[in-house]
């Protein structure tokens, strides 16, 4: 662990030093995000983008040269994540269509399935036994990785939001993987902590007021890495071990899920951008940019604590925790109007019930 700590510190310092260098080069080379033509942008000034390249470089410098990560694990991950980064770079420069962006993510996910041996093979249910996914292994694995990748990409709307949530989620995953889950190779948890260090060095420049953006380059990379790391070691998953990454990623997944529901209810295309994501709604309620980011960080930490509690819970306790999480999410979604300000069935039911009690 001492070696991992030293490498993590080195990785963070590397990212901390390279980020301002990249920011200067981005200004010089014109790698700038222009807010004008993009309706979802909250920022009003032009900003260097593609900062995720620094996280990518810092992480792999440590992984290849400072850690004894098996090539069978590292090389497929490097190739697949490089496809993701290239997809993000092209999208940041030319703004890819959703179909082409999805094609890049699917290609990288498929590569991890075939070369990286990352797959959902079976799931064990309490009292019911083990379910084999059979021919569904490939589509389920790809869908899982796509979901996590897009979740981080969609939440990347405010300074430091996606990078901060990624640090919280990855740190929780690393702790659970190292101390609670039975994973054959400890290298997965080690890589998670190194990635956290790479993000931590970048984060001070990305937090409000940011001097550089992650860009789709960074958001796609972080989401992809979280998706892959959450699957590694879960070939023979239990129901709880599969639920944990979803709980840890509660905010981005909730935002993505209800964005799809909102657009379906409003008869809009799923890929149409809007200004009704969690961070938009919180700012509409009167929160400042910084307050909104810190509030979402706080909720993310709560999700992470709940995920940690699962590891100490009985089956009944896990069921109660899950019910608590679902009810809490639904109330949160209705309070901030994530689907629509007029679509609040639980709150409306509670109001009617309260009125009856007061009569």
């Amino acid at each position: 662990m001492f070696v991992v700590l030293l490498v993590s510190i080195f990785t963070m310092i590397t990212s901390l030093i390279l980020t301002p260098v990249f920011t200067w080069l981005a200004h010089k080379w014109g790698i700038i995000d222009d807010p004008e033509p993009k309706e979802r942008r909250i920022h009003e000034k032009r900003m260097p983008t593609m900062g995720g390249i620094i996280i990518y470089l810092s992480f792999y410098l440590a992984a290849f040269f400072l850690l004894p990560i098996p090539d069978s694990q590292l090389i497929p991950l490097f190739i697949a994540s490089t496809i993701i980064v290239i997809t993000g770079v092209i999208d940041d420069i030319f703004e890819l269509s959703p179909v082409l962006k999805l094609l890049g993510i699917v290609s990288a996910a498929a590569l991890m399935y075939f070369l990286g041996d990352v797959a959902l093979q079976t799931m064990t249910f309490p009292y019911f036994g083990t379910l084999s996914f059979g021919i569904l292994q490939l589509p389920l694995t790809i869908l899982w990785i796509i979901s996590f990748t897009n979740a981080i990409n969609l939440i990347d709307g405010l300074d430091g939001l996606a990078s901060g949530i990624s640090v919280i989620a990855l740190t929780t995953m690393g702790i659970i993987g190292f101390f609670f889950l039975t994973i054959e190779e400890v290298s997965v948890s080690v890589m998670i902590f190194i990635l956290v260090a790479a993000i931590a060095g970048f984060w001070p420049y990305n937090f409000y007021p940011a001097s550089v953006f992650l860009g789709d380059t960074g958001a796609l990379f972080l989401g992809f890495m979280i998706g892959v790391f959450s699957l590694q070691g879960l070939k023979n998953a239990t129901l709880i071990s599969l639920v944990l990454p979803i709980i840890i990623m509660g905010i981005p997944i909730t935002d993505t899920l209800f964005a799809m529901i909102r657009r379906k209810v409003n008869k809009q295309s799923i890929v149409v951008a809007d200004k009704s994501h969690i961070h938009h709604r919180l700012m509409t309620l009167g929160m400042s940019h910084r307050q909104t980011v810190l509030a979402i960080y706080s909720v993310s930490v709560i999700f992470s604590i709940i995920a940690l509690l699962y590891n100490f819970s009985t089956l009944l306790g896990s069921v109660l925790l899950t019910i608590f999480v679902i009810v809490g999410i639904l109330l949160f979604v209705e309070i901030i109007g994530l689907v629509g300000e007029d679509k609040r069935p639980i709150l409306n039911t509670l109001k009617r019930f309260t009125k009856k009690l007061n009569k």
Side-chain angles (χ1 to χ4, degrees):
M1 282 301 294
F2 182 68
V3 173
V4 175
L5 179 61
L6 287 179
V7 174
S8 296
I9 293 171
F10 173 83
T11 305
M12 184 174 66
I13 293 173
T14 301
S15 182
L16 199 64
I17 293 172
L18 288 181
T19 301
V21 174
F22 174 82
T23 302
W24 177 77
L25 290 173
H27 278 291
K28 187 175 181 180
W29 295 340
I31 307 174
I32 302 294
D33 180 82
D34 189 350
E36 291 301 322
K38 300 180 181 180
E39 295 180 359
R40 291 177 61 233
R41 288 286 187 264
I42 290 174
H43 304 86
E44 296 180 355
K45 61 179 181 178
R46 301 172 78 243
M47 186 78 69
T49 189
M50 293 189 214
I53 288 176
I54 298 304
I55 299 173
Y56 166 84
L57 290 175
S58 300
F59 171 76
Y60 280 114
L61 279 172
F64 273 112
F65 300 110
L66 300 177
L67 293 171
I69 307 296
D71 288 344
S72 58
Q73 275 188 315
L74 189 57
I75 292 176
L77 181 64
F78 172 70
I79 296 171
S81 60
T82 300
I83 293 172
I84 291 291
V85 167
I86 291 171
T87 302
V89 167
I90 295 173
D91 189 43
D92 281 327
I93 296 173
F94 301 107
E95 198 162 347
L96 289 173
S97 69
V99 173
L100 289 176
K101 192 188 297 187
L102 181 62
L103 181 61
I105 300 171
V106 169
S107 300
L111 191 148
M112 286 306 301
Y113 177 85
F114 289 110
L115 298 184
D117 200 23
V118 172
L120 270 175
Q121 296 178 349
T122 63
M123 185 189 297
T124 302
F125 293 89
Y127 305 115
F128 292 99
T130 301
L131 170 68
S132 176
F133 291 119
I135 60 172
L136 294 177
Q137 288 181 33
L138 176 58
L140 285 176
T141 301
I142 291 177
L143 180 62
W144 179 279
I145 294 174
I146 288 173
S147 299
F148 279 76
T149 305
N150 282 331
I152 292 295
N153 194 36
L154 284 176
I155 203 71
D156 183 32
L158 296 179
D159 295 354
L161 187 53
S163 55
I165 286 176
S166 296
V167 166
I168 295 167
L170 284 164
T171 300
T172 310
M173 285 170 51
I175 292 170
I176 291 174
F178 190 82
F179 292 104
F180 298 106
L181 296 183
T182 305
I183 298 178
E184 294 179 1
E185 293 288 345
V186 73
S187 55
V188 175
S189 295
V190 170
M191 286 192 289
I192 287 174
F193 290 130
I194 297 305
L195 181 57
V196 168
I199 303 168
F202 174 81
W203 180 83
Y205 304 100
N206 186 229
F207 188 66
Y208 184 82
S211 59
V212 61
F213 289 158
L214 271 175
D216 277 2
T217 305
L220 291 176
F221 172 67
L222 292 181
F224 178 79
M225 297 295 276
I226 291 171
V228 169
F229 285 148
S230 66
L231 272 182
Q232 284 185 318
L234 296 183
K235 293 178 188 178
N236 302 310
T238 63
L239 182 59
I240 295 301
S241 65
L242 203 62
V243 165
L244 287 178
I246 298 172
I247 298 294
I248 292 168
M249 287 282 286
I251 283 289
I253 287 177
T254 297
D255 189 47
T256 302
L257 177 61
F258 282 94
M260 295 169 65
I261 294 172
R262 178 175 64 249
R263 291 163 190 174
K264 189 71 175 177
V265 168
N266 296 329
K267 298 180 179 179
Q268 296 175 329
S269 170
I270 290 179
V271 298
V272 171
D274 60 29
K275 271 196 170 184
S276 295
H277 291 279
I278 288 175
H279 47 283
H280 294 125
R281 294 302 308 161
L282 289 176
M283 292 187 75
T284 300
L285 294 175
M287 285 189 174
S288 68
H289 193 128
R290 185 187 294 265
Q291 288 171 340
T292 299
V293 174
L294 293 176
I296 295 176
Y297 283 177
S298 300
V299 177
S300 295
V301 169
I302 292 172
F303 275 114
S304 291
I305 292 171
I306 292 170
L308 288 169
L309 288 176
Y310 272 96
N311 297 281
F312 301 99
S313 299
T314 61
L315 179 59
L316 177 60
S318 297
V319 171
L320 292 175
L321 272 176
T322 304
I323 293 171
F324 167 76
V325 169
I326 293 172
V327 173
I329 288 173
L330 292 175
L331 285 173
F332 175 73
V333 164
E334 290 193 11
I335 288 169
I336 68 172
L338 196 59
V339 175
E341 295 187 11
D342 58 334
K343 296 175 179 65
R344 294 172 172 172
I346 296 177
L347 291 177
N348 290 336
T349 301
L350 289 174
K351 285 181 182 178
R352 288 194 294 268
F353 180 71
T354 304
K355 285 180 181 179
K356 287 182 180 180
L357 287 178
N358 291 333
K359 286 183 179 179

